[in-house]
Structures are given as C-alpha cells and as structure tokens.
Amino acid sequence: MNEFHTNTVYDCSVIELSRHHSQRKGNLSVVENGDSIPFDIKRAYYLYDVPGGEARGEHAHKKLRQLIVAASGSFSVTLDDGNIKRTFLLNRPYQALYVVPGIWRTLDDFSSGSVCLVLASAPYDPEDYIRNYHHFLELKKDDTSLG
C-alpha cells in the first residue's frame, strides 16, 4: 500500500512560516527549499479574483505535495481523505497548509481581493490529478490501483 492510500487528513497541518518584522518597513515571510518546508518547490501559482460563492480545487493528487497560503485575504480549505473531513480557515500570510497526496481538497469562501498562493512539489502533470470524487473514493479503497 502506498502513501496515497494511507494518508489521512491528520497528515495535513498548518505550518508557521518564518516571520521577520520591522516596525518601519512591515513584515517578510520566507519559504526556502530544504529548510522551512517538507519538500522542494518545483512550481508556484496563485488564484485571485475568484467570484463570490465559487469553489476551486475539487480534486486530489496521486503524488503531489502542496503548501497553500492565503497571501492576501482569506478562504477556507476543506480536506477529505474519504473517511474524515477537516476544514481550515487560512487568513494569515505567514501560515501555510501542508497537503499530502491522496487528499481531496476544496477551496471556498474567498474574501474579496483574496490571493491564494500554492507551492507544489512537482511541475504540472495532468496524470497526477484525480478530478472525479467517486473515482477518488474508489482509488482510496483499492490499494493496488496506483502501483
């Protein structure tokens, strides 16, 4: 059985990013490969101007690891391992939600002007995505389906 099948929502957690504060100049948070996060970043992208009431994500990954950050504003991330769901409110740019493989994620409740920054462990690979929830549930049950 690989980690896709054994990972649960409890393998995901909020990570505090380093914060540097200057009374005069504001704040700075740092993310560095091999230091502050549990994987090397191979891709970064961000979501913005998400219309009110819309959801993003609504998929799982077979191997990809991600850090999800509310760079500005706020939104909710609901994680689902096929048995348990956990919802996280992200609203601090120095906090990142670490999401492991085999977890369905839905992002919603975006505040006006919010920006969602995603740091990923691999370049985009359409074969790594599971976009159908019922298929996701079947894969979670079948420990031979992903090799």
Side-chain angles (χ1 to χ4, degrees), residues 41-107:
I41 299 166
K42 304 290 186 192
R43 180 173 179 237
Y45 61 93
Y46 51 97
L47 309 169
Y48 57 96
D49 292 341
V50 178
E54 289 299 317
R56 297 297 308 251
E58 299 182 306
H59 63 268
H61 289 282
K62 298 172 186 172
K63 297 180 181 176
L64 189 76
R65 298 172 183 281
Q66 294 179 315
L67 287 180
I68 302 173
V69 180
S72 180
S74 66
F75 51 89
S76 294
V77 182
T78 300
L79 303 179
D80 178 348
D81 61 21
N83 292 310
I84 300 169
K85 292 182 182 182
R86 289 177 75 194
T87 299
F88 297 83
L89 173 64
L90 297 181
N91 61 1
R92 305 268 190 265
Y94 55 84
Q95 294 179 330
L97 179 59
Y98 175 48
V99 183
V100 297
I103 304 295
W104 188 268
R105 80 284 323 271
T106 302
L107 289 71

